[in-house]
Amino acid sequence: MLSIFKVKSEFGRNVLTLMTGTFIAQCIPLAISPIITRIYTPEDFGVFAVYISLFSVLSVLVTGRYELAIMLPKNNNEAMHLVVLSVILTFMISAILLGGILVFHQEIIVVLGSPEIGPWLYWVPFSTLLMGGAQTITYWNFRQKNYKRISQKNVIQSATGSSFQLSTPYFTNGPLGLLTGNIAGQFISTSFLIKHILKDDLYLFNKFKKIKCLAVAKKYIKFPKFMIIGQLANILSSQLPLLLINAFFGPAIAGLYALSERTLAAPMTIIASAIGNVFRQEALEVFNKKGNCIEIYMKTLLKLLVASIFLMAPIFFFGPWLFSIVFGEQWRASGEIASIVSVLVLFQTVSSPLSQTVIFAGLQRIDMIWQIIRLLSSIGAFYIGYIYFSSYIMAITLHVISFSILYVFHSMMQYYVAKGKYRTVNKF
Protein backbone atom coordinates (compact mmCIF):
# COMPACT_ATOMS: atom_id res chain seq x y z
CA MET A 1 0.00 0.00 0.00
CA LEU A 2 2.75 2.43 0.88
CA SER A 3 4.36 1.87 -2.49
CA ILE A 4 1.78 4.15 -4.16
CA PHE A 5 3.67 7.11 -2.67
CA LYS A 6 6.86 8.48 -4.20
CA VAL A 7 8.96 8.35 -1.08
CA LYS A 8 11.89 10.02 -2.85
CA SER A 9 9.96 13.29 -3.08
CA GLU A 10 9.54 15.65 -0.14
CA PHE A 11 5.78 15.30 -0.41
CA GLY A 12 6.04 11.51 -0.29
CA ARG A 13 8.40 11.56 2.69
CA ASN A 14 6.13 13.92 4.61
CA VAL A 15 3.08 11.80 3.84
CA LEU A 16 4.93 8.66 4.91
CA THR A 17 6.07 10.28 8.16
CA LEU A 18 2.54 11.29 9.09
CA MET A 19 1.06 8.05 7.83
CA THR A 20 3.44 5.95 9.91
CA GLY A 21 2.49 7.70 13.14
CA THR A 22 -1.19 7.77 12.24
CA PHE A 23 -1.06 4.10 11.28
CA ILE A 24 0.41 3.13 14.64
CA ALA A 25 -2.00 5.44 16.45
CA GLN A 26 -4.99 3.86 14.71
CA CYS A 27 -3.71 0.30 15.05
CA ILE A 28 -3.59 0.56 18.84
CA PRO A 29 -7.35 1.12 19.38
CA LEU A 30 -8.13 -1.32 16.57
CA ALA A 31 -5.96 -3.96 18.23
CA ILE A 32 -7.76 -3.60 21.57
CA SER A 33 -11.24 -3.27 20.01
CA PRO A 34 -12.02 -7.01 20.33
CA ILE A 35 -11.29 -6.65 24.05
CA ILE A 36 -13.06 -3.30 24.44
CA THR A 37 -16.25 -4.58 22.79
CA ARG A 38 -16.33 -7.42 25.30
CA ILE A 39 -15.80 -5.10 28.27
CA TYR A 40 -18.22 -2.31 27.34
CA THR A 41 -21.81 -2.69 26.18
CA PRO A 42 -23.40 -1.04 23.12
CA GLU A 43 -25.13 1.33 25.58
CA ASP A 44 -21.73 2.36 27.01
CA PHE A 45 -20.46 3.02 23.49
CA GLY A 46 -23.62 5.01 22.80
CA VAL A 47 -23.13 7.33 25.78
CA PHE A 48 -19.44 7.77 24.96
CA ALA A 49 -20.25 8.51 21.31
CA VAL A 50 -22.82 11.16 22.28
CA TYR A 51 -20.22 12.79 24.53
CA ILE A 52 -17.65 12.81 21.71
CA SER A 53 -20.23 14.31 19.37
CA LEU A 54 -21.05 17.09 21.81
CA PHE A 55 -17.54 18.32 22.44
CA SER A 56 -16.58 17.83 18.79
CA VAL A 57 -19.39 20.19 17.75
CA LEU A 58 -18.59 22.74 20.46
CA SER A 59 -14.85 22.62 19.67
CA VAL A 60 -15.62 24.34 16.37
CA LEU A 61 -16.61 27.45 18.32
CA VAL A 62 -13.80 27.77 20.82
CA THR A 63 -10.96 28.88 18.52
CA GLY A 64 -13.04 31.10 16.26
CA ARG A 65 -11.51 28.97 13.46
CA TYR A 66 -8.47 31.24 13.55
CA GLU A 67 -6.26 28.15 13.76
CA LEU A 68 -7.13 27.43 10.11
CA ALA A 69 -5.36 30.66 9.16
CA ILE A 70 -2.07 29.81 10.93
CA MET A 71 -0.49 28.42 7.76
CA LEU A 72 -1.37 31.42 5.58
CA PRO A 73 0.91 34.29 6.79
CA LYS A 74 4.25 34.74 5.07
CA ASN A 75 6.06 35.38 8.37
CA ASN A 76 6.10 33.43 11.62
CA ASN A 77 5.43 36.48 13.77
CA GLU A 78 1.98 36.94 12.33
CA ALA A 79 1.29 33.21 12.54
CA MET A 80 2.42 33.20 16.18
CA HIS A 81 -0.14 35.89 17.01
CA LEU A 82 -2.83 33.73 15.41
CA VAL A 83 -1.77 30.87 17.67
CA VAL A 84 -2.03 33.03 20.79
CA LEU A 85 -5.36 34.48 19.63
CA SER A 86 -6.78 30.97 19.12
CA VAL A 87 -5.59 29.82 22.56
CA ILE A 88 -7.07 32.88 24.31
CA LEU A 89 -10.41 32.35 22.60
CA THR A 90 -10.32 28.67 23.54
CA PHE A 91 -9.98 29.46 27.25
CA MET A 92 -12.64 32.17 27.16
CA ILE A 93 -15.28 30.24 25.25
CA SER A 94 -14.69 26.99 27.18
CA ALA A 95 -15.32 28.95 30.39
CA ILE A 96 -18.55 30.30 28.93
CA LEU A 97 -19.61 26.77 27.97
CA LEU A 98 -19.01 25.58 31.53
CA GLY A 99 -21.24 28.35 32.85
CA GLY A 100 -23.94 27.44 30.34
CA ILE A 101 -23.86 23.76 31.36
CA LEU A 102 -24.05 24.65 35.06
CA VAL A 103 -27.12 26.81 34.48
CA PHE A 104 -28.95 24.76 31.82
CA HIS A 105 -27.85 21.24 32.69
CA GLN A 106 -31.34 19.71 32.84
CA GLU A 107 -32.55 21.54 29.76
CA ILE A 108 -29.61 20.21 27.73
CA ILE A 109 -30.43 16.64 28.79
CA VAL A 110 -34.03 17.11 27.63
CA VAL A 111 -32.93 18.51 24.25
CA LEU A 112 -30.53 15.62 23.70
CA GLY A 113 -33.16 13.11 24.75
CA SER A 114 -30.48 11.17 26.62
CA PRO A 115 -30.59 11.12 30.45
CA GLU A 116 -27.59 8.79 30.41
CA ILE A 117 -25.31 11.63 29.29
CA GLY A 118 -26.26 13.87 32.24
CA PRO A 119 -23.38 13.05 34.65
CA TRP A 120 -20.79 13.54 31.94
CA LEU A 121 -21.89 16.94 30.62
CA TYR A 122 -19.70 18.77 33.14
CA TRP A 123 -16.61 17.28 31.49
CA VAL A 124 -17.43 18.75 28.08
CA PRO A 125 -15.82 22.22 28.57
CA PHE A 126 -12.55 20.62 29.64
CA SER A 127 -12.60 18.49 26.50
CA THR A 128 -13.27 21.55 24.30
CA LEU A 129 -10.35 23.32 25.99
CA LEU A 130 -8.04 20.41 25.20
CA MET A 131 -9.35 20.02 21.67
CA GLY A 132 -9.05 23.72 20.84
CA GLY A 133 -5.51 23.83 22.19
CA ALA A 134 -4.53 20.65 20.36
CA GLN A 135 -5.92 21.87 17.04
CA THR A 136 -4.11 25.21 17.33
CA ILE A 137 -0.75 23.74 18.32
CA THR A 138 -1.01 21.05 15.64
CA TYR A 139 -1.53 23.65 12.90
CA TRP A 140 1.52 25.53 14.17
CA ASN A 141 3.55 22.33 13.85
CA PHE A 142 2.21 21.79 10.34
CA ARG A 143 3.37 25.28 9.45
CA GLN A 144 6.84 24.47 10.81
CA LYS A 145 6.74 21.12 8.95
CA ASN A 146 7.25 19.22 12.19
CA TYR A 147 5.58 16.13 10.76
CA LYS A 148 7.56 13.71 12.89
CA ARG A 149 6.46 15.51 16.05
CA ILE A 150 2.82 15.40 15.02
CA SER A 151 3.21 11.72 14.25
CA GLN A 152 4.63 11.11 17.73
CA LYS A 153 1.79 13.11 19.27
CA ASN A 154 -0.79 10.89 17.57
CA VAL A 155 0.86 7.74 18.88
CA ILE A 156 1.07 9.13 22.43
CA GLN A 157 -2.59 10.13 22.38
CA SER A 158 -3.72 6.74 21.13
CA ALA A 159 -1.54 4.70 23.48
CA THR A 160 -2.54 6.73 26.54
CA GLY A 161 -6.24 6.69 25.73
CA SER A 162 -6.30 2.96 25.02
CA SER A 163 -4.43 2.17 28.25
CA PHE A 164 -7.00 4.06 30.32
CA GLN A 165 -9.90 2.44 28.49
CA LEU A 166 -8.52 -1.01 29.23
CA SER A 167 -7.59 -0.42 32.87
CA THR A 168 -10.47 1.73 34.20
CA PRO A 169 -13.15 -1.04 34.08
CA TYR A 170 -11.26 -2.82 36.86
CA PHE A 171 -12.26 0.04 39.17
CA THR A 172 -15.69 1.10 37.89
CA ASN A 173 -18.49 0.15 35.48
CA GLY A 174 -20.16 2.01 32.64
CA PRO A 175 -18.70 4.42 30.07
CA LEU A 176 -16.30 6.14 32.49
CA GLY A 177 -13.29 4.24 31.16
CA LEU A 178 -14.03 5.28 27.59
CA LEU A 179 -14.40 8.93 28.65
CA THR A 180 -11.30 9.12 30.85
CA GLY A 181 -9.25 7.43 28.14
CA ASN A 182 -10.22 10.09 25.62
CA ILE A 183 -9.48 12.98 27.97
CA ALA A 184 -6.19 11.53 29.23
CA GLY A 185 -4.99 10.93 25.68
CA GLN A 186 -5.77 14.50 24.64
CA PHE A 187 -4.17 16.00 27.74
CA ILE A 188 -0.88 14.10 27.63
CA SER A 189 -0.39 14.38 23.86
CA THR A 190 -1.14 18.11 23.87
CA SER A 191 1.31 18.57 26.75
CA PHE A 192 3.93 16.83 24.62
CA LEU A 193 3.50 19.42 21.84
CA ILE A 194 3.49 22.33 24.29
CA LYS A 195 6.77 21.12 25.80
CA HIS A 196 8.47 21.20 22.41
CA ILE A 197 7.05 24.61 21.52
CA LEU A 198 8.41 26.04 24.76
CA LYS A 199 11.79 24.53 23.91
CA ASP A 200 12.05 25.47 20.24
CA ASP A 201 9.76 28.45 19.59
CA LEU A 202 9.55 30.35 22.86
CA TYR A 203 11.67 33.18 21.44
CA LEU A 204 8.94 33.83 18.87
CA PHE A 205 6.13 33.84 21.43
CA ASN A 206 8.07 36.28 23.62
CA LYS A 207 7.50 38.83 20.85
CA PHE A 208 3.73 38.76 21.42
CA LYS A 209 2.00 42.16 21.39
CA LYS A 210 -1.66 42.81 22.21
CA ILE A 211 -2.02 45.36 19.42
CA LYS A 212 -0.68 42.90 16.84
CA CYS A 213 -3.05 40.23 18.15
CA LEU A 214 -6.02 42.54 17.58
CA ALA A 215 -4.66 43.38 14.13
CA VAL A 216 -4.48 39.74 13.00
CA ALA A 217 -7.94 39.12 14.48
CA LYS A 218 -9.26 41.82 12.16
CA LYS A 219 -7.14 40.81 9.17
CA TYR A 220 -8.35 37.20 9.24
CA ILE A 221 -11.93 38.00 10.22
CA LYS A 222 -13.16 35.88 7.28
CA PHE A 223 -12.41 32.76 9.28
CA PRO A 224 -14.77 33.36 12.22
CA LYS A 225 -17.20 35.19 9.93
CA PHE A 226 -17.63 32.39 7.41
CA MET A 227 -15.70 29.34 8.60
CA ILE A 228 -17.43 28.98 11.98
CA ILE A 229 -20.84 28.61 10.36
CA GLY A 230 -19.49 26.39 7.62
CA GLN A 231 -17.37 24.22 9.92
CA LEU A 232 -20.16 24.06 12.50
CA ALA A 233 -22.48 22.82 9.77
CA ASN A 234 -19.72 20.40 8.74
CA ILE A 235 -19.18 18.90 12.17
CA LEU A 236 -22.92 18.91 12.94
CA SER A 237 -23.65 17.01 9.74
CA SER A 238 -20.93 14.51 10.76
CA GLN A 239 -22.05 14.14 14.37
CA LEU A 240 -25.79 14.64 13.96
CA PRO A 241 -26.45 11.13 12.63
CA LEU A 242 -25.28 9.62 15.89
CA LEU A 243 -27.14 12.20 17.99
CA LEU A 244 -30.34 11.60 16.03
CA ILE A 245 -29.94 7.82 16.20
CA ASN A 246 -29.51 8.13 19.96
CA ALA A 247 -32.61 10.36 20.26
CA PHE A 248 -34.80 8.30 17.88
CA PHE A 249 -33.65 4.71 18.43
CA GLY A 250 -31.83 4.76 21.80
CA PRO A 251 -28.23 4.48 23.07
CA ALA A 252 -27.85 0.78 22.13
CA ILE A 253 -28.38 1.47 18.41
CA ALA A 254 -26.21 4.57 18.76
CA GLY A 255 -23.50 2.32 20.18
CA LEU A 256 -23.74 -0.02 17.19
CA TYR A 257 -23.43 2.93 14.83
CA ALA A 258 -20.55 4.34 16.88
CA LEU A 259 -18.52 1.12 16.57
CA SER A 260 -19.03 1.06 12.80
CA GLU A 261 -17.82 4.67 12.60
CA ARG A 262 -14.89 3.96 14.91
CA THR A 263 -13.79 1.04 12.75
CA LEU A 264 -14.23 2.78 9.41
CA ALA A 265 -12.60 5.99 10.67
CA ALA A 266 -9.32 4.17 11.31
CA PRO A 267 -8.34 3.50 7.68
CA MET A 268 -9.74 6.86 6.62
CA THR A 269 -7.63 8.64 9.23
CA ILE A 270 -4.52 6.68 8.32
CA ILE A 271 -4.72 7.51 4.63
CA ALA A 272 -6.79 10.68 4.36
CA SER A 273 -5.39 12.69 7.26
CA ALA A 274 -1.76 12.03 6.42
CA ILE A 275 -2.18 12.84 2.74
CA GLY A 276 -4.56 15.75 3.34
CA ASN A 277 -2.38 17.51 5.90
CA VAL A 278 0.69 17.39 3.68
CA PHE A 279 -1.36 18.29 0.58
CA ARG A 280 -2.61 21.41 2.37
CA GLN A 281 0.92 22.70 2.90
CA GLU A 282 2.41 21.70 -0.47
CA ALA A 283 -0.58 22.65 -2.62
CA LEU A 284 -0.92 26.07 -0.98
CA GLU A 285 2.68 26.93 -1.88
CA VAL A 286 2.16 25.84 -5.50
CA PHE A 287 -1.19 27.60 -5.76
CA ASN A 288 0.24 30.89 -4.50
CA LYS A 289 3.09 30.71 -7.02
CA LYS A 290 1.27 29.45 -10.12
CA GLY A 291 -2.39 30.26 -9.51
CA ASN A 292 -3.29 26.57 -9.78
CA CYS A 293 -2.32 23.25 -8.20
CA ILE A 294 -3.95 20.82 -10.61
CA GLU A 295 -0.94 18.51 -10.94
CA ILE A 296 -0.53 17.79 -7.23
CA TYR A 297 -4.32 17.74 -6.85
CA MET A 298 -4.81 14.98 -9.45
CA LYS A 299 -1.91 12.90 -8.13
CA THR A 300 -3.30 13.11 -4.61
CA LEU A 301 -6.85 12.37 -5.78
CA LEU A 302 -5.69 9.18 -7.50
CA LYS A 303 -3.82 7.98 -4.42
CA LEU A 304 -6.86 8.58 -2.24
CA LEU A 305 -9.17 6.79 -4.67
CA VAL A 306 -6.98 3.69 -4.89
CA ALA A 307 -6.50 3.56 -1.13
CA SER A 308 -10.19 4.04 -0.30
CA ILE A 309 -11.36 1.31 -2.70
CA PHE A 310 -8.74 -1.09 -1.32
CA LEU A 311 -9.79 -0.45 2.28
CA MET A 312 -13.57 -0.19 1.94
CA ALA A 313 -14.29 -3.12 -0.40
CA PRO A 314 -13.94 -5.84 2.30
CA ILE A 315 -16.27 -3.94 4.65
CA PHE A 316 -18.86 -3.43 1.91
CA PHE A 317 -19.01 -7.12 0.97
CA PHE A 318 -18.30 -8.85 4.30
CA GLY A 319 -19.11 -6.28 7.02
CA PRO A 320 -21.58 -8.29 9.17
CA TRP A 321 -19.44 -11.44 9.11
CA LEU A 322 -16.21 -9.55 9.91
CA PHE A 323 -17.75 -7.64 12.82
CA SER A 324 -19.30 -10.75 14.38
CA ILE A 325 -15.96 -12.58 14.21
CA VAL A 326 -13.77 -9.73 15.45
CA PHE A 327 -16.01 -7.97 17.99
CA GLY A 328 -18.49 -10.67 19.01
CA GLU A 329 -21.90 -11.79 17.78
CA GLN A 330 -23.69 -8.95 19.60
CA TRP A 331 -21.99 -6.53 17.19
CA ARG A 332 -23.16 -8.18 13.93
CA ALA A 333 -25.72 -5.39 13.42
CA SER A 334 -22.85 -2.90 13.65
CA GLY A 335 -21.27 -4.72 10.70
CA GLU A 336 -24.49 -4.33 8.72
CA ILE A 337 -24.35 -0.59 9.38
CA ALA A 338 -20.66 -0.47 8.44
CA SER A 339 -21.36 -2.21 5.13
CA ILE A 340 -23.76 0.60 4.18
CA VAL A 341 -21.63 3.44 5.54
CA SER A 342 -18.52 2.17 3.72
CA VAL A 343 -19.92 3.63 0.48
CA LEU A 344 -20.05 7.09 2.05
CA VAL A 345 -16.58 6.67 3.59
CA LEU A 346 -15.15 5.94 0.14
CA PHE A 347 -16.42 9.24 -1.29
CA GLN A 348 -15.51 11.10 1.90
CA THR A 349 -11.96 9.72 1.90
CA VAL A 350 -11.43 10.96 -1.64
CA SER A 351 -12.98 14.40 -1.10
CA SER A 352 -12.34 15.58 2.46
CA PRO A 353 -8.50 15.64 2.47
CA LEU A 354 -8.62 17.93 -0.57
CA SER A 355 -11.41 20.16 0.72
CA GLN A 356 -9.10 23.02 1.66
CA THR A 357 -8.48 23.59 -2.04
CA VAL A 358 -11.58 25.80 -2.12
CA ILE A 359 -10.16 27.89 0.74
CA PHE A 360 -6.98 28.55 -1.25
CA ALA A 361 -9.17 30.41 -3.74
CA GLY A 362 -11.02 32.36 -1.03
CA LEU A 363 -14.31 30.48 -1.51
CA GLN A 364 -15.22 30.34 2.17
CA ARG A 365 -18.74 31.59 1.44
CA ILE A 366 -19.44 28.86 -1.12
CA ASP A 367 -17.96 26.22 1.17
CA MET A 368 -20.19 27.46 3.99
CA ILE A 369 -23.29 27.07 1.79
CA TRP A 370 -22.23 23.53 0.87
CA GLN A 371 -21.76 22.66 4.54
CA ILE A 372 -25.22 23.99 5.41
CA ILE A 373 -26.81 21.96 2.59
CA ARG A 374 -24.99 18.88 3.92
CA LEU A 375 -26.37 19.51 7.40
CA LEU A 376 -29.92 19.92 6.12
CA SER A 377 -29.67 16.74 4.05
CA SER A 378 -28.58 14.81 7.14
CA ILE A 379 -31.53 16.08 9.15
CA GLY A 380 -33.89 15.27 6.28
CA ALA A 381 -32.53 11.74 5.82
CA PHE A 382 -32.95 10.76 9.47
CA TYR A 383 -36.31 12.50 9.79
CA ILE A 384 -37.68 10.54 6.81
CA GLY A 385 -36.10 7.29 8.01
CA TYR A 386 -37.62 7.65 11.47
CA ILE A 387 -41.02 9.20 10.72
CA TYR A 388 -41.95 7.30 7.55
CA PHE A 389 -40.06 4.02 7.88
CA SER A 390 -39.33 3.67 11.63
CA SER A 391 -36.06 2.05 10.58
CA TYR A 392 -32.54 3.05 11.50
CA ILE A 393 -31.25 1.07 8.50
CA MET A 394 -33.38 3.14 6.11
CA ALA A 395 -32.36 6.36 7.85
CA ILE A 396 -28.67 5.49 7.53
CA THR A 397 -29.11 4.44 3.88
CA LEU A 398 -30.74 7.75 2.95
CA HIS A 399 -27.99 9.57 4.82
CA VAL A 400 -25.30 7.68 2.89
CA ILE A 401 -26.92 8.40 -0.50
CA SER A 402 -27.36 12.14 0.10
CA PHE A 403 -23.86 12.63 1.53
CA SER A 404 -22.19 10.63 -1.24
CA ILE A 405 -23.79 12.85 -3.89
CA LEU A 406 -22.67 15.98 -2.05
CA TYR A 407 -19.07 14.74 -1.75
CA VAL A 408 -18.98 14.10 -5.51
CA PHE A 409 -20.18 17.67 -6.07
CA HIS A 410 -17.52 19.03 -3.70
CA SER A 411 -14.80 17.10 -5.54
CA MET A 412 -15.96 18.70 -8.79
CA MET A 413 -15.70 22.12 -7.16
CA GLN A 414 -12.19 21.32 -5.89
CA TYR A 415 -11.11 20.27 -9.38
CA TYR A 416 -12.44 23.52 -10.84
CA VAL A 417 -10.46 25.57 -8.32
CA ALA A 418 -7.30 23.44 -8.62
CA LYS A 419 -7.21 24.20 -12.36
CA GLY A 420 -7.07 27.89 -11.49
CA LYS A 421 -10.45 28.64 -13.06
CA TYR A 422 -11.69 30.62 -10.09
CA ARG A 423 -9.87 32.74 -7.53
CA THR A 424 -11.08 35.63 -5.40
CA VAL A 425 -8.88 38.45 -4.14
CA ASN A 426 -7.85 37.35 -0.66
CA LYS A 427 -7.18 40.18 1.74
CA PHE A 428 -5.75 38.08 4.53
Side-chain angles (χ1 to χ4, degrees), residues 2-222:
L2 295 180
S3 63
I4 65 174
F5 301 107
K6 295 181 179 180
V7 182
K8 292 183 179 180
S9 68
E10 182 182 3
F11 179 82
R13 289 195 300 272
N14 291 338
V15 168
L16 188 60
T17 298
L18 277 179
M19 187 178 292
T20 301
T22 307
F23 177 77
I24 296 172
Q26 291 298 319
C27 281
I28 293 172
L30 278 180
I32 69 168
S33 287
I35 303 173
I36 291 292
T37 52
R38 289 167 172 82
I39 295 176
Y40 300 97
T41 66
E43 288 83 358
D44 293 335
F45 266 88
V47 173
F48 175 61
V50 171
Y51 178 87
I52 295 294
S53 296
L54 282 177
F55 88 74
S56 297
V57 170
L58 294 173
S59 294
V60 173
L61 304 174
V62 295
T63 61
R65 295 285 85 178
Y66 278 111
E67 84 279 9
L68 297 176
I70 289 171
M71 294 175 63
L72 296 178
K74 294 182 179 180
N75 63 80
N76 279 332
N77 183 268
E78 190 169 286
M80 174 272 292
H81 281 86
L82 284 167
V83 171
V84 177
L85 174 63
S86 298
V87 171
I88 291 172
L89 287 173
T90 297
F91 273 93
M92 291 175 59
I93 298 176
S94 294
I96 293 172
L97 290 175
L98 177 59
I101 290 173
L102 290 172
V103 174
F104 301 106
H105 182 264
Q106 193 59 41
E107 288 79 1
I108 296 172
I109 293 175
V110 172
V111 170
L112 293 174
S114 179
E116 298 86 357
I117 196 65
W120 317 111
L121 282 177
Y122 301 108
W123 295 33
V124 170
F126 184 57
S127 289
T128 61
L129 178 65
L130 290 175
M131 178 68 82
Q135 289 171 342
T136 300
I137 297 170
T138 299
Y139 270 94
W140 172 260
N141 278 278
F142 277 129
R143 177 183 176 84
Q144 305 302 106
K145 296 188 177 183
N146 292 325
Y147 299 115
K148 182 177 180 180
R149 190 175 299 168
I150 296 168
S151 185
Q152 292 171 336
K153 174 258 185 188
N154 291 336
V155 174
I156 292 171
Q157 180 175 338
S158 179
T160 302
S162 297
S163 297
F164 272 80
Q165 289 175 348
L166 282 174
S167 59
T168 306
Y170 289 101
F171 306 100
T172 184
N173 296 320
L176 179 61
L178 295 169
L179 293 167
T180 54
N182 178 268
I183 292 173
Q186 281 278 16
F187 179 79
I188 293 175
S189 61
T190 303
S191 299
F192 167 78
L193 289 182
I194 291 173
K195 181 189 75 173
H196 282 283
I197 286 180
L198 293 176
K199 178 182 177 182
D200 299 337
D201 303 321
L202 185 60
Y203 72 97
L204 279 171
F205 288 87
N206 284 335
K207 298 176 182 178
F208 172 78
K209 297 182 184 299
K210 292 181 181 178
I211 295 178
K212 179 67 174 179
C213 192
L214 294 173
V216 297
K218 183 178 180 181
K219 182 177 180 180
Y220 294 90
I221 195 64
K222 268 190 176 183

Side-chain angles (χ1 to χ4, degrees), residues 413-425:
M413 184 166 61
Q414 295 163 10
Y415 174 79
Y416 185 71
V417 171
K419 289 188 70 174
K421 296 293 185 180
Y422 188 88
R423 185 173 186 175
T424 64
V425 178

Side-chain angles (χ1 to χ4, degrees), residues 162-298:
S162 297
S163 297
F164 272 80
Q165 289 175 348
L166 282 174
S167 59
T168 306
Y170 289 101
F171 306 100
T172 184
N173 296 320
L176 179 61
L178 295 169
L179 293 167
T180 54
N182 178 268
I183 292 173
Q186 281 278 16
F187 179 79
I188 293 175
S189 61
T190 303
S191 299
F192 167 78
L193 289 182
I194 291 173
K195 181 189 75 173
H196 282 283
I197 286 180
L198 293 176
K199 178 182 177 182
D200 299 337
D201 303 321
L202 185 60
Y203 72 97
L204 279 171
F205 288 87
N206 284 335
K207 298 176 182 178
F208 172 78
K209 297 182 184 299
K210 292 181 181 178
I211 295 178
K212 179 67 174 179
C213 192
L214 294 173
V216 297
K218 183 178 180 181
K219 182 177 180 180
Y220 294 90
I221 195 64
K222 268 190 176 183
F223 285 84
K225 187 177 180 180
F226 296 120
M227 296 303 291
I228 283 183
I229 296 176
Q231 292 295 310
L232 187 60
N234 177 27
I235 194 69
L236 272 173
S237 58
S238 298
Q239 301 298 330
L240 198 59
L242 191 139
L243 294 173
L244 292 175
I245 288 173
N246 181 74
F248 291 156
F249 303 106
I253 302 300
L256 295 174
Y257 183 84
L259 181 65
S260 70
E261 273 201 326
R262 173 189 174 112
T263 305
L264 294 178
M268 178 184 173
T269 303
I270 292 169
I271 301 296
S273 294
I275 296 177
N277 287 327
V278 178
F279 169 82
R280 185 189 302 115
Q281 174 70 29
E282 304 291 337
L284 178 59
E285 293 178 1
V286 175
F287 191 86
N288 286 336
K289 291 178 182 178
K290 299 173 56 178
N292 73 81
C293 57
I294 188 62
E295 184 177 351
I296 189 173
Y297 175 85
M298 290 305 299

